[in-house]
């Protein structure tokens, strides 16, 4: 396995692992009770606060981005560039990312707004559906992203892509039906479960639009991924 494939596999496994941990912890928060200022025990149903915590974590990526830029500057100043380094073909004065010249800070507002709406809708939906169903419904991002990529990025999908999207769509329908029929304890009636599932899928649609915009920024505006995520975190907290 090449280094690029191993890196991609590592990122995919990490995304699945930490995404699952995030879902379980969010559901545990929703299942917690605390005594309010009025002395009455109340459930912790605060999806907006969960969204704020997420944006706070994203903002920390700016620290990682700053370290990257500092290391790149040190290596450029010392003239030490390893063979195979992507900086090898860049002039010394242009070693640092020139995203500040190509990407106005306001371009991060759009993805951050979509992230805010999508994540909050998902967190609200999680109040009325179980964690396992929520996590599986998030697979609909494959369908939405694929369709949007064809429509707006003019990407051509092959038969394998469409087959995978069709299987995913079928699985999502079955998962949604099972969650309504099972009526899990603590999730409310079937109408609340249906509403929760619908909010989760609507949130994923917003996240899919966000991903398409982010791809455009990464490829056409020379925006480094840590800076993109970090700036989305800052704009998200401000909103």
């Amino acid at each position: 396995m090449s280094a690029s494939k191993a890196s991609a596999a590592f990122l995919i496994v990490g995304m699945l692992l930490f995404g699952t941990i995030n879902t379980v912890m969010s559901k545990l928060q929703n299942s917690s009770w605390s005594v309010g200022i009025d002395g009455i025990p109340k459930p912790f149903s605060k999806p907006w606060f969960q969204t704020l915590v997420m944006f706070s974590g994203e903002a920390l990526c700016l620290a990682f981005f700053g370290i990257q830029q500092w290391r790149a500057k040190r290596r450029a100043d010392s003239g030490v560039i390893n063979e195979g380094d992507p900086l090898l073909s860049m002039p010394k004065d242009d070693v640092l990312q020139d995203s500040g010249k190509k990407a106005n800070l306001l371009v991060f507002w759009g993805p951050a707004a979509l992230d805010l709406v999508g994540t909050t809708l998902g967190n609200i939906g999680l109040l009325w559906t179980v964690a396992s169903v929520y996590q599986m419904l998030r697979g609909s991002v494959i369908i939405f992203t694929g369709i949007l990529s064809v429509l707006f990025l003019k990407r051509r999908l092959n038969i394998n892509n469409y087959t995978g999207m069709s299987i995913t769509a079928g699985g999502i329908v079955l998962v949604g039906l099972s969650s309504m029929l099972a009526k899990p304890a603590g999730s409310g009636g079937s109408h609340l479960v249906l509403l929760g599932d619908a909010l989760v899928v609507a949130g994923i649609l917003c996240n899919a639009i966000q991903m398409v915009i982010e791809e455009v920024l990464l490829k056409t505006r020379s925006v480094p991924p840590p800076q993109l995520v970090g700036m989305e975190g800052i704009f998200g907290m401000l909103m």
Side-chain angles (χ1 to χ4, degrees):
M1 181 182 293
S2 63
S4 59
K5 290 184 178 180
S7 177
F10 174 78
L11 292 175
I12 292 173
V13 172
M15 180 183 67
L16 292 174
L17 176 62
F18 290 104
T20 302
I21 294 175
N22 176 65
T23 298
V24 172
M25 293 185 67
S26 297
K27 191 61 177 179
L28 286 174
Q29 289 176 355
N30 295 338
S31 303
S32 302
W33 287 71
S34 61
V35 178
I37 58 176
D38 53 3
I40 301 176
K42 298 178 181 179
F44 184 90
S45 302
K46 303 183 183 298
W48 286 100
F49 175 75
Q50 293 172 330
T51 303
L52 176 62
V53 172
M54 181 205 69
F55 278 123
S56 301
E58 289 184 356
L60 294 177
C61 289
L62 286 179
F64 177 70
F65 173 68
I67 294 174
Q68 277 189 324
Q69 297 294 83
W70 174 74
R71 290 184 61 189
K73 186 176 185 305
R74 282 195 59 188
R75 291 162 63 186
D77 291 341
S78 63
V80 178
I81 300 181
N82 297 329
E83 184 178 355
D85 196 305
L87 300 176
L88 185 62
S89 59
M90 302 174 63
K92 182 177 179 180
D93 293 337
D94 297 327
V95 171
L96 296 181
Q97 292 281 358
D98 56 350
S99 54
K101 301 177 182 178
K102 295 185 178 181
N104 188 297
L105 290 179
L106 292 180
V107 302
F108 300 109
W109 178 86
L114 289 167
D115 200 3
L116 174 67
V117 175
T119 302
T120 304
L121 287 177
N123 289 337
I124 296 174
L126 186 58
L127 294 173
W128 299 314
T129 190
V130 296
S132 57
V133 172
Y134 169 86
Q135 190 69 7
M136 287 185 281
L137 287 177
R138 287 177 59 84
S140 59
V141 71
I142 298 174
I143 303 171
F144 293 135
T145 306
I147 295 174
L148 293 173
S149 296
V150 172
L151 293 177
F152 298 103
L153 300 182
K154 307 304 179 184
R155 179 166 295 138
R156 299 178 64 89
L157 303 181
N158 56 41
I159 187 63
N160 294 332
N161 300 134
Y162 286 113
T163 301
M165 291 166 60
S166 301
I167 295 174
T168 302
I172 290 171
V173 171
L174 294 177
V175 167
L177 289 175
S178 67
S179 67
M180 288 186 292
L181 296 175
K183 296 182 181 179
S187 297
S190 59
H191 63 287
L192 284 180
V193 175
L194 177 60
L195 176 60
D197 292 346
L199 288 175
V200 172
V201 175
I204 293 303
L205 174 59
C206 293
N207 293 144
I209 300 174
Q210 170 197 349
M211 290 180 183
V212 173
I213 297 176
E214 287 174 342
E215 182 174 349
V216 173
L217 292 177
L218 289 170
K219 292 185 176 179
T220 65
R221 297 295 187 96
S222 300
V223 179
Q227 183 188 24
L228 176 61
V229 177
M231 291 305 302
E232 286 182 10
I234 296 295
F235 276 85
M237 288 191 294
L238 292 177
M239 287 188 285

